[in-house]
Amino acid sequence: MSRAERVREAFTGGRGARWHPTDALVRGVGLGVGMVVLGALLHRVELVLLGAPLLVSTLVALVSPVGGTPSVRVRALPRIGEVGSTRATVELDGGEGAELMAVRLPDGREEGVGPVHLLPASAGAVTVALRRDTWGQGAALRPDHLVAGPDGLLVHGPVTAPELGRTTLPPVRPLPAGLLPARPLGLVGAHRARRPGDSVELRDIRAFQPGDRLRRVDWRVSLRAGALHVREHHAEADADVLLALDTRLDVTAEVADWTATGRAVTVRPGGSLDLAVTAAASLAAGYLRQGDRVALADLGRPQLGVRAGVGRRQLLRLRTGLVRCARSAGWAPKPVLHVPHGALVVVLSPFLDAPVVELTVHAARRGNAVLAVDVLPGPLTPDPETPWGPGAARIVELEHEVRLEAMRRHGVVVVRWDGGGAPLAGALRLAARPGRRVVR
């Protein structure tokens, strides 16, 4: 016996793989025979008249041909989809002599495997609606079934079917791309790479350093400054955008829920991780639409990141990677981030601890343009069960504001994400202006 068969037998009590009689069959035969025999012994015709039809109908149902192995197959089930409703086809085969089938199917009104539906065995195929109102991984369909023969005297099952999961991608909201200098379309992408290169587009004029070529010397600036200065140009390559997702914390506006454990889902709806994933998916779609290279980094588990790429397939990989990172979310003592030179770094975090702030500032000190997206839900609601609730919530808010201000002083663009995208869009427009590096 295979492992799958042992698991199925454990769920069904060893009865799911064959046809077996029900209690109605035992009662019909026993009661029919008993009433006929008792009526004959007591010479009571009414007992015979009551028991004989019951016995005859039971025997007729037994002689009806019942056999085969009923099966329920699911086809046209998308493994990856968007938030909302979709449809799948379930093929029903009740076997020979089957009359009814009880199948667990979704009804399209709520998430999950759905209630049990009573269908005729000749239904053939049924189209079911699958609904998912939240992103992430979850059970989409589990077609448990029970097949009944004539008069329900013989049944096959119940059979616990394997659970079919479905990945619902995070929603994408339209956002304008910003924080990167534009370049003409048709070259590489819509934005220039921030790292130096050999193109004709001027990036900066700086002091001469050992190793610089003499043909790059700007003699006009050098004569005016009294020292050698060289021209630095942009590289002819796609701009790199790194989305750094902080999965170490997932908090809501209810401070009392921050220490709650034993939840059935990893991501709390409306929590910081939910907001961060939505913002990351929206930013990725905006920059990929402009032809830029976008990568994903998990600050808590670097091995779950997604390499930089372009195009629609990259957006699908990034959204799937966001779901994978959220599924493995959990506390890590020290965030890890490897920043490529010249890339735009977008850190999405509630910024409730010092290590993630230090990591963000360090990326800015290396010369990268850094955007800190604050996803802490607010305003915070104090714990009503303790007199220290308002004071504790106020301390958290003050410490949080101190961390944000420290990042602003180091040239990090700080913006708050409230789920709507409007503040982030405004910050991108302001930050794209020359000489504008601090957004409050």
Side-chain angles (χ1 to χ4, degrees), residues 175-179 241-244 279 283 287 343-349 351 360 363-364 368-374 407 411-417 423-429 431 437-439:
L175 292 176
L179 282 179
V241 180
L242 177 61
L243 303 175
L283 285 169
Y287 280 110
L344 164 65
V345 183
V346 182
V347 182
L348 304 108
S349 171
F351 297 105
T360 305
N368 296 85
V370 181
L371 172 65
V373 181
D374 177 23
M407 290 189 293
V412 178
V413 179
V414 180
V415 61
R416 182 178 181 83
W417 174 271
L424 183 57
L428 292 176
R429 288 192 296 267
R437 292 301 303 276
V438 179
V439 177

Side-chain angles (χ1 to χ4, degrees), residues 49 51 59 70 92 138 147 175 221 241 252 287 328 354 364 413 439:
L49 295 177
L59 295 177
L92 308 177
V147 183
L175 292 176
V221 177
V241 180
T252 62
Y287 280 110
S328 304
V413 179
V439 177

